[in-house]
């Protein structure tokens, strides 16, 4: 049975289009450069810690990621400041992130959104650097399906409460749909919304969080399965 006339709020990165896998490719290249094979796990653990601290202090996006790579290189080299040549090498690794003019939609997204938009109110809620996120929205070719697009610095319980209040949403008929337990599911549930969890194999490690059983959270294996429920 499908729910009719619902408000469906969609996450963007790794829900609608590929994102973190691009960062992982950069990290693979970075680790190939800075760490011997036996030391890759340790270097990755250092980078993960630095990324967590920088995300909390500086936010998200390619500029913060660049800072994290430079900070990691500094720490791995005994607190030596990276040289200009080393920073240039980091910039070269980042080229696929900083110069992409298109996004890779996850399979089934375009057709599924088209069908859902015919019978539901669709919104887009994404976090990160405003210019970078807007550029991805513009390049996606699917922005016309959404009644409104909301780019925020962080997705917290207050974020969902503000969105609900500003748009006059009915929490019982509003669903947050995303791949991140930490940003899409847990805070939306605490704000009283219903949720749809669509796991992605490349979800960023900092977005991982254990989810307990919750009858108001629907878990699906793939994006097109939304059509069976909405």
């Amino acid at each position: 049975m499908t729910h009719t006339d619902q408000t469906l709020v969609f996450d963007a990165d790794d829900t609608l289009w590929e994102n973190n896998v691009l960062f992982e490719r950069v990290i693979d290249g970075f680790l190939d450069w800075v760490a011997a094979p036996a030391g890759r796990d340790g270097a990755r653990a250092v980078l993960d810690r630095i990324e967590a601290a920088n995300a909390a202090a500086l936010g998200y996006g390619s500029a913060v990621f660049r800072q994290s790579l430079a900070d990691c290189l500094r720490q791995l080299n005994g607190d030596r400041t990276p040289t200009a040549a080393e920073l240039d090498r980091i910039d070269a690794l980042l080229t696929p992130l900083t110069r992409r003019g298109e996004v890779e939609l996850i399979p089934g997204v375009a057709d599924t959104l088209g069908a859902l938009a015919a019978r539901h109110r669709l919104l887009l809620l994404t976090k990160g650097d405003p210019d970078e996120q807007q550029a991805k929205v513009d390049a996606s070719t699917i922005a016309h399906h959404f009644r409104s697009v909301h780019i925020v610095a962080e997705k917290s319980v207050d974020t969902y409460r503000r969105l609900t209040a500003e748009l006059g949403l009915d929490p019982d008929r509003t669903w947050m749909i995303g791949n991140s337990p930490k940003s899409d599911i847990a805070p939306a549930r605490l704000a009283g919304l219903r949720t749809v969890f669509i796991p992605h194999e490349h979800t960023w490690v900092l977005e991982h969080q254990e989810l307990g059983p919750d009858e108001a959270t629907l878990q699906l294996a793939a994006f097109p399965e939304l059509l069976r429920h909405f």
Side-chain angles (χ1 to χ4, degrees), residues 8 79 89 92 125 141 222 228:
L8 308 182
D79 207 32
R89 185 162 182 176
L125 176 64
T141 73
R228 300 179 186 174

Side-chain angles (χ1 to χ4, degrees), residues 127-199:
K127 72 176 183 179
D129 178 87
D131 291 337
E132 289 187 1
Q133 293 306 101
Q134 187 62 56
K136 286 187 279 188
V137 171
D138 293 342
S140 70
T141 73
I142 56 174
H144 62 285
H145 292 305
F146 302 103
R147 303 281 185 90
S148 57
V149 174
H150 306 267
I151 301 173
V152 297
E154 189 60 87
K155 289 178 179 175
S156 64
V157 177
D158 285 343
T159 303
Y160 291 102
R161 287 174 176 162
R162 284 195 301 270
L163 185 70
T164 300
E166 290 172 3
L167 299 181
L169 304 179
D170 178 357
D172 287 336
R173 300 181 65 78
T174 300
W175 298 74
M176 179 63 202
I177 300 165
N179 70 292
S180 168
K182 182 179 178 181
S183 293
D184 300 326
I185 307 304
R189 285 296 302 124
L190 288 173
L193 304 183
R194 298 176 182 272
T195 50
V196 180
F197 178 42
I198 307 178

Side-chain angles (χ1 to χ4, degrees), residues 26-47 68-77 80 82 86-87 89-90 93:
V26 174
I27 291 172
D28 281 343
F30 177 76
L31 295 178
D32 286 342
W33 166 34
V34 303
R40 284 177 67 94
D41 289 346
R44 179 60 189 263
V46 170
L47 178 59
S68 295
L69 294 176
D71 290 346
C72 183
L73 182 61
R74 178 184 295 108
Q75 185 165 330
L76 292 175
N77 285 333
R80 175 181 62 78
E86 289 170 333
L87 293 176
R89 185 162 182 176
I90 288 175
L93 289 170

Side-chain angles (χ1 to χ4, degrees), residues 47 50-51 54-55 63-73:
L47 178 59
I50 290 171
E51 281 201 278
N54 284 348
V64 177
F65 184 49
R66 180 185 188 275
Q67 182 66 54
S68 295
L69 294 176
D71 290 346
C72 183
L73 182 61

